[in-house]
Amino acid sequence: MLNPNGVDESNILDSINFDALGLNQSLVRALLEAGYTEPTPIQVQAIPKVIEGHDLLGIAQTGTGKTAAFSLPILHHLNTKQVESKARHPRALILAPTRELAIQIADSIKLYGSHIAFKQTSIFGGVGQNPQVAALKRGVDVIVATPGRLLDLVNQGLCHLGHIEYFVLDEADRMLDMGFIHDVKKIVAKLPRKRQTLFFSATMPKSVSALAGDLLHKPVNVSVTAQATTVDRIDQSVIFTPQNHKQLQLIHLLSDEAVTSAIVFTRTKHRANRVSLALSKAGITSEPIHGNKSQGARQRALGAFKAGEIKALVATDIAARGIDVDAVSHVINFELPNVSEDYVHRIGRTARAGASGNAISLCAPDERAFLKSIEKLIKLSISVVKGIEVRDEDVPPPEPRGPRSPRRSGGRGGPGGGRGSRGAKPSGEQGGRHKSGGQKRRPASAVGQKQRPAGSGNAGGRRRSQAPKSV
C-alpha cells in the first residue's frame, strides 16, 4: 500500500500496535484484555491526529474500526484533563443516525474505558426519557445520541451542551438521508464555537461535503474504503424470480443447513412483518426488526438473533448500519435496495472480522435497474444462479388486508385526523380541517390531544476466527 509520497506502508502498519499511537496505558490495557492487539488502518491514521487536537474528516465504511478511531482519543483526553468541579457537564457528544448504532457505540466506549474514570449515557427515542434525564442530572462526560431525542431534551431545558469539547458526527451520509440535517444544525448551534469536531461518512455527496465544510476547521483528511475488500470476502449471487415467487425461494434458501444465521432485507416495514410471518409458518424461526417496533422489541429480537435462538432477522435498512453481529453466514436481499450504497452496507453485515460470507439477492423483473446500478457501484458483475422451480399453483395467495375502518361523519378521529370519503391522510400528515356531514373538525388541541414538541422522538428507525482481531 503506497502512501501519497510513494512509500509502501504495508510493513509499517503490520508493525504498529496501540502503544505506538500515544494512547493512555489504561486504554491500551482494556484493549489487550478484550483481545485487540493491532489497530486498523483508520485507527493508525486518525488516533494520533485526534490526540494532537486536529479536526478530522474520515471517509470510512462500516466495519473499518472507526468507532475506536474517534472514541479512544476522546477517552484519552477526558482521562488526561479530569474536571475538578463537582458539577459534571457533558464534554463529548457523539451523534449517530440510529438507536442501534448509538447503543453499539456506547457499548464500545464502555469497553475501551473500563479502566478510566468517566461517565456516559445514551439518548435516543423509542423509550421513556426519564432514565436519560436522571443520568444527565447525575452528571455525565460523554453523550451518545440520536438527533431527534437529544434536541427534544435540549428544547425542554433538560440537556445543556455549552461545555462540549469534542463533537463527533458519525454516519453523516445516513444522517442526511434520514432527514436529520435540520436537527443536526440546530444541535450544532448549541455547541461552543471552540471545540474539536470529528466527521465520519461512508460516502461524500455534495450535501455531506457542504456540511463538513461548515463544521470543520482545517481538518485532517483520512480515507479508508473497505468496500472493495468487503466485496472480495463475500460470495455474491442473484436469483432472477417473479415477485410472487420470492417467498418460496426464500424459504428454500433458509432451509439449507449451510445457512446458520441470516439477515433478510426488505424495503418496507410492512413487507418485513409479512416475510417474518411466512417464515415462522414454514417452521423457520425469525423476528422482524424495523422502525415501527419499540426499542425493547428491537433489542429483544437482536438479542435472540445473537444468541442463536432465531435463524433469521428480517430487517429494513435500519439494520444495514449500526448492528454488529458476529458469524452472520448469509445476507439475503428479499428486495433489492433502490439506493445502491445501501446494498454495500447490507451485505457488510456478513464477512465481519476477517471472516467470509454470502450475499444472495432475489431480483424481480422490475428490480433489474436497481441491480444494474449496484453492479456499476461495486464494479462487479454479480453471479446469476438458478433458484428452485416454482409453479404458480404452489404460490400462496396474498395475505388479505385488514378491514378498513368505518367512515366517520365528523366527530373525533385518531391521532392523525379522521377519515373522510377519500380515505386516510398519508402517514405523518395531520388531519387539520375536515368537512363531513356539515360538521367542522375542532383543532387537535381542542379535543385534548397533546402536540409533540418539534424534534421530539427519534427517526432512526426509518430507514443496523479473527486474524488478528481488530476494534
Side-chain angles (χ1 to χ4, degrees), residues 417-449:
R419 286 192 172 98
S421 59
R422 295 186 181 182
K425 290 274 187 184
S427 176
E429 193 173 311
Q430 293 298 323
R433 293 179 180 269
H434 177 80
K435 295 182 179 180
S436 179
Q439 297 183 2
K440 292 184 178 179
R441 176 174 300 283
R442 289 177 291 169
S445 58
V447 294
Q449 295 183 351

Side-chain angles (χ1 to χ4, degrees), residues 11-262:
N11 294 332
I12 297 175
L13 292 180
D14 289 342
S15 63
I16 286 180
N17 56 29
F18 285 103
D19 273 310
L21 301 181
L23 289 168
N24 181 283
Q25 285 301 305
S26 296
L27 299 173
V28 175
R29 175 186 168 193
L31 293 168
L32 292 175
E33 288 177 353
Y36 300 121
T37 57
E38 295 182 9
T40 65
I42 193 170
Q43 293 159 13
V44 171
Q45 297 178 58
I47 289 175
K49 295 299 182 182
V50 178
I51 289 178
E52 290 173 7
H54 296 282
D55 282 10
L56 185 135
L57 173 60
I59 307 301
Q61 301 287 345
T62 181
T64 56
K66 60 183 170 61
T67 299
F70 62 73
S71 59
L72 285 171
I74 288 176
L75 291 173
H76 173 90
H77 281 305
L78 292 178
N79 186 68
T80 302
K81 298 185 293 184
Q82 292 284 353
V83 177
E84 300 295 334
S85 172
K86 291 183 179 179
R88 208 171 194 134
H89 300 289
R91 298 171 60 195
L93 171 63
I94 302 167
L95 285 187
T98 67
R99 310 170 200 173
E100 281 72 23
L101 182 53
I103 291 171
Q104 179 185 313
I105 292 171
D107 288 344
S108 296
I109 291 176
K110 181 179 179 181
L111 175 66
Y112 307 151
S114 57
H115 294 302
I116 67 173
F118 80 104
K119 292 183 179 181
Q120 71 164 340
T121 193
S122 301
I123 294 176
F124 48 78
V127 295
Q129 73 174 36
N130 289 341
Q132 300 169 2
V133 173
L136 290 170
K137 288 182 177 179
R138 290 192 297 268
V140 297
D141 299 291
V142 180
I143 295 175
V144 185
T146 53
R149 172 58 64 84
L150 177 65
L151 189 58
D152 188 8
L153 296 186
V154 168
N155 289 337
Q156 293 180 57
L158 300 173
C159 181
H160 304 282
L161 305 177
H163 292 80
I164 294 295
E165 302 170 35
Y166 312 99
F167 173 54
V168 180
L169 188 65
D170 196 14
E171 303 282 13
D173 52 351
R174 175 49 61 95
M175 199 87 72
L176 269 62
D177 286 345
M178 296 173 65
F180 282 132
I181 180 63
H182 298 297
D183 285 354
V184 169
K185 289 183 176 180
K186 290 176 182 177
I187 290 169
V188 170
K190 304 288 184 180
L191 303 178
R193 292 181 62 85
K194 186 178 179 180
R195 64 175 188 271
Q196 186 175 4
T197 302
L198 312 178
F199 188 104
F200 288 87
S201 184
T203 59
M204 190 56 64
K206 291 182 179 179
S207 57
V208 175
S209 180
L211 181 61
D214 291 339
L215 297 182
L216 300 171
H217 175 68
K218 297 181 180 179
V220 172
N221 294 332
V222 174
S223 179
V224 178
T225 54
Q227 190 177 90
T229 55
T230 300
V231 168
D232 289 343
R233 298 199 309 268
I234 300 174
D235 182 14
Q236 299 175 76
S237 58
V238 60
I239 297 172
F240 292 116
T241 181
Q243 183 69 37
N244 64 336
H245 290 187
K246 284 187 176 184
Q247 184 173 301
L248 291 179
Q249 294 283 2
L250 177 63
I251 291 171
H252 173 74
L253 290 171
L254 292 176
S255 298
D256 190 337
E257 292 183 357
V259 182
T260 56
S261 62

